Structure formats: C-alpha cells, structure tokens
Amino acid sequence: MPLPQKKRWVSMAKGLVLGALFTSLLLLLYSYAAPPLHTGLASTTPEGTAPCAPAPGEPEALTPANGSAGGCQPQRDIVFMKTHKTASSTLLNILFRFGQKHGLKFAFPNGRNDFDYPAFFARSLVQDYRPGACFNIICNHMRFHYEEVRGLVPPNATFITVLRDPARLFESSFHYFGSVVPFTWKLSGRDKLAEFLQDPDRYYDPNGYNAHYLRNLLFFDLGYDSGLNPGNPQVQEHILEVERRFHLVLLQEYFDESLVLLKDLLCWELEDVLYFKLNARRASAVPRLSGELYRRATAWNVLDARLYRHFNASFWRKVEAFGRERMAREVAALRRANERMRRICIDGGQAVDAAAIQDSAMQPWQPLGAKSILGYNLKKSIGQRHAQLCRRMLTPEIQYLMDLGVNLWVTKLWKLIRDFLRW
C-alpha cells in the first residue's frame, strides 16, 4: 500500500475514534439537558413542605376581576402554562415585560430555559427555591403538575394557557422537532410529513425518544397521558379539569382577541399586551397541510382535537359575553398600537432570516439542523421614550431570561456545542 494512502487511512481512523468519543460526550451532556420521558409523576417536593406563604406585610393577591365591571386592580399573580408551538413565546415576552416593569418575582428554572421538560414539574426545579417560597409569575415550559405549581403562587393567582388547531400544531411540531425524534429517521421520502401521515402507526413508537412531540402534544404538556384511548372516559374528565383550573384558555388562531380577553381579565393597560410575533418560521419553511392530510393529522391527534373543540366553543362564549362590537373596537386598537410600535422599533419594518440579524443579542434559538426561525433588527435611532420598550419587545426568550438573571448554563453549553459543530 502506498505510504500517502496508508497515512490517509490512519488519519480517517483517528478521526472516527475521536468522533465516536466526542459523540459519546455529547450524548452524555444531552441526556442531562433533556431528561427521559417519565410515565408517572416526577418526584414532587418532600411531604410537609409549606405551600406558598406571602411575606409579612405583602398585600394579598387580588381576585381576577373583569375590567368591564369597573374599579378592578391589575392582577400580578399569574401561572402561564406554556404549550409548544402555539405563539407561546410571544405571550412569554408579554409576561416578562409586565413582571420586569412591576418588579415581580418569577419562578424560573435552574440551568436551562425549561423546567426539565418532558419530566413533570416539581417545585424543587425552581431556581433558588426554598420551602414556603411565594412567586408572582410562572411561565416557562413545563409538563404541568397542578399541585406543585399551585403551591408556588398565592391562592387567587390567575391560570392561563394557549391552544392551537391540533393539525396545524402537529405540522409545526413535526418540522421543528422531527430531527430529534429518532423514529422519523426511517422516513425516506422528500415530504416526510405526508409519508408519516399515510401510515403513522408504521413509524410511531409511543415509547420512543421524544415521541411525545408528535402526538397529542397539548394533552401531554397539560400533564395527561397523550396515548389514552379516545373512548376512555378520562379524556373528557381531563378536559373538564382544565376548564376548572384555568381562568382563560387563549387560542393561537385568534391571538388578538385572546389578548383583549386577557387584558380585561387581568385589568391591564393596552401597552401591557403590545407584541411582535416571536419565534415564527419563514413562510418557505411552513408547508401547509390541506385536504386529506389535514384530516389525517386531526385524526392522529384526536385527544388534542377534542380539547381544542371544547375550548374553541367556550372561547366564543366569552367573546359573546364581552360583546362583539366591543371586541372589534379593542382588537382594532391593539392592531393600531402594534403597527405604531412596528414603525418605531423595527429596522425595515419586518422580521428577517437569521443570517440578516445584525445584533447577536437578537438572534432567536434555532431548531437542530436548520435556521428557519425569523428575528428582527432593532432600529439604530429610537427616541428615549420607546428605546427600552422596543428592545424588550424584540428580545428573544433565551436572551431575555439571561437579562432577568436566570442561570442557563446547560442551555449555553448546548449552544456552544451546536455553534462549534454548525448544527
């Protein structure tokens, strides 16, 4: 064998060995950053731990009041059950801004930007948690565990969450998370989503790593068994339980109307619910399901479909009670205010691809293997009155968490590894 060729083979062998060692290290780190799915509840806070106890002299939480009744006070104790791929990052930014503006106490995760999802939430996961600790706002991704969350906030805290059409949510989740769901790697066609929906049982493994992302994700996030038989009476019991526990269930498809209802429920000001759409994908990365594939996606996520139908109906009952004409006026006012902020804050007036974002502090987190999430460039000259608000409205979740003092060492380490490997 010629010497140059032998050297090349030795070099390749060394590369394979080093690659295998490095991959093993990454898997070890990722196993810490993304704990395995648990079928039962996570270990909860030890028995006898005191529930949330407001500090002496701290005013009691105010009962959520409808702004139309007059005389209400802004509600500051809020639990936002952040579901995946439902415009929840945009709502998160609204809560971050409100909490920061009023000096409220957040219950933040420790080490990462979620509460060890997909494991169930436990109070011990909260950064700097001490028994009896009381918080104003909980809003990061978790797998919901009502009793554990309930013990961290005052008795009259407002519980909210947001849902999305299950077929559209499945489509978004498949494209965003599909690369980290190993059973999708068997899909070989050009349109993997369509191939999967032709015969999902052929590919889907309910016990597979990250399988929860690709079936009844809303049901899973809310803390329920996403593999329940649709005929099981527990399905309806769980839906009614969500209705009892949550003061308002927002709908992603009617986000502005949802924010108007939220503003009224919390007795907030219009400025408190202004927003720019965050964590959105570029249009070319969002193939739309239609016809038979849409029906198949809905049927595949039948538990979520039942949940969504129930709260779609209750949402419009709330709109009727609020008043259709009043709703139209307030939605128009919100959109005018958002448009005004867009002209004041955003360079170019619209979201841009990741490569076009000039400030690294404005770079949103990207899915593995793609840069499909859009972001914004902040105008270089903004008046003093709006400079702080503009920056906060445009800051992505990870950077905003760091601004709020959250320890994100696992998330930052994972980002360094991804940047090094150009994932």
Side-chain angles (χ1 to χ4, degrees):
M1 180 181 294
L3 187 60
Q5 189 173 356
K6 183 177 180 180
K7 286 184 177 179
R8 187 166 63 250
W9 280 108
V10 170
S11 178
M12 287 175 62
K14 287 181 179 178
L16 287 171
V17 171
L18 289 172
L21 290 172
F22 190 57
T23 301
S24 299
L25 175 62
L26 289 181
L27 288 172
L28 181 63
L29 289 170
Y30 193 71
S31 68
Y32 180 88
L37 172 64
H38 300 292
T39 54
L41 292 182
S43 297
T44 55
T45 309
E47 292 185 21
T49 297
C52 164
E58 185 178 320
E60 290 187 11
L62 297 162
T63 303
N66 190 309
S68 60
C72 66
Q73 296 293 321
Q75 171 70 356
R76 299 185 175 191
D77 300 312
I78 302 155
V79 173
F80 171 43
M81 174 52 226
K82 188 178 188 289
T83 48
H84 285 85
K85 313 312 297 176
T86 58
S88 59
S89 293
T90 302
L91 189 51
L92 192 71
N93 181 275
I94 290 173
L95 292 171
F96 283 169
R97 287 179 359 235
F98 184 85
Q100 193 172 24
K101 176 181 176 181
H102 295 282
L104 303 182
K105 187 177 181 182
F106 287 90
F108 282 132
N110 189 23
R112 357 181 322 176
N113 59 306
D114 61 57
F115 290 105
D116 279 13
Y117 184 89
F120 279 95
F121 176 80
R123 276 174 271 181
S124 57
L125 297 171
V126 174
Q127 182 173 296
D128 300 323
Y129 172 74
R130 296 292 182 272
C134 199
F135 299 87
N136 299 113
I137 298 177
I138 307 176
C139 53
N140 289 80
H141 274 308
M142 67 171 76
R143 189 173 186 201
F144 194 54
H145 185 334
Y146 179 74
E147 288 74 18
E148 287 289 295
V149 172
R150 174 77 273 173
L152 284 173
V153 291
N156 292 326
T158 302
F159 281 64
I160 62 173
T161 190
V162 56
L163 305 181
R164 182 183 183 183
D165 177 313
R168 301 296 177 209
L169 184 146
F170 170 78
E171 176 184 38
S172 180
S173 185
F174 188 95
H175 288 294
Y176 193 92
F177 297 112
S179 62
V180 294
V181 184
F183 61 70
T184 65
W185 302 345
K186 295 182 287 186
L187 297 163
S188 56
R190 188 171 183 177
D191 188 344
K192 294 187 177 185
L193 177 62
E195 184 181 348
F196 179 86
L197 286 174
Q198 291 300 326
D199 188 6
D201 287 316
R202 175 184 174 190
Y203 302 102
Y204 185 75
D205 175 6
N207 298 314
Y209 185 72
N210 282 338
H212 59 281
Y213 284 122
L214 298 187
R215 191 172 200 187
N216 296 313
L217 182 55
L218 293 172
F219 232 67
F220 183 89
D221 282 356
L222 287 164
Y224 302 118
D225 180 358
S226 56
L228 278 175
N229 186 306
N232 191 318
Q234 284 188 315
V235 175
Q236 186 62 16
E237 291 171 12
H238 292 334
I239 292 172
L240 294 177
E241 186 172 66
V242 172
E243 187 169 54
R244 289 194 303 272
R245 289 174 170 175
F246 288 84
H247 296 85
L248 179 64
V249 175
L250 296 79
L251 300 181
Q252 186 259 7
E253 292 79 8
Y254 303 100
F255 197 66
D256 289 346
E257 291 85 350
S258 294
L259 289 181
V260 169
L261 291 179
L262 181 66
K263 180 174 76 73
D264 187 64
L265 174 68
L266 301 178
C267 197
W268 285 7
E269 300 296 330
L270 178 62
E271 182 181 287
D272 295 326
V273 294
L274 298 180
Y275 72 92
F276 299 127
K277 187 182 292 185
L278 300 179
N279 210 36
R281 288 183 296 162
R282 63 175 179 267
S284 61
V286 191
R288 300 290 287 172
L289 285 176
S290 60
E292 180 60 23
L293 285 179
Y294 177 88
R295 289 189 288 273
R296 286 176 178 269
T298 302
W300 177 245
N301 296 277
V302 64
L303 304 187
D304 280 1
R306 286 180 58 179
L307 179 76
Y308 185 83
R309 281 196 298 269
H310 181 94
F311 286 101
N312 185 51
S314 68
F315 179 86
W316 293 108
R317 287 196 296 271
K318 290 179 186 292
V319 171
E320 289 292 341
F322 184 83
R324 291 269 184 173
E325 291 185 6
R326 181 184 171 205
M327 175 62 74
R329 289 195 304 271
E330 297 219 14
V331 165
L334 173 61
R335 289 174 178 170
R336 284 195 301 271
N338 280 334
E339 174 60 21
R340 178 171 174 268
M341 293 306 298
R342 182 188 67 79
R343 293 195 300 267
I344 292 171
C345 301
I346 300 175
D347 188 22
Q350 62 186 2
V352 296
D353 282 335
I357 299 172
Q358 299 161 10
D359 185 349
S360 61
M362 294 293 161
Q363 280 282 354
W365 186 267
Q366 299 290 343
L368 200 64
K371 287 198 173 182
S372 57
I373 303 301
L374 302 175
Y376 299 92
N377 284 312
L378 191 67
K379 275 190 174 178
K380 292 181 173 60
S381 57
I382 302 174
Q384 187 175 359
R385 180 183 172 190
H386 295 103
Q388 185 183 74
L389 177 58
C390 286
R391 176 163 286 278
R392 288 179 177 178
M393 288 182 70
L394 293 172
T395 299
E397 175 183 342
I398 301 298
Q399 291 91 321
Y400 211 141
L401 284 167
M402 288 190 287
D403 289 346
L404 292 170
V406 183
N407 173 18
L408 293 178
W409 75 268
V410 174
T411 302
K412 289 191 282 189
L413 176 61
W414 183 235
K415 183 181 185 304
L416 285 172
I417 292 170
R418 287 184 57 183
D419 290 346
F420 177 76
L421 296 176
R422 297 183 181 178
W423 283 351

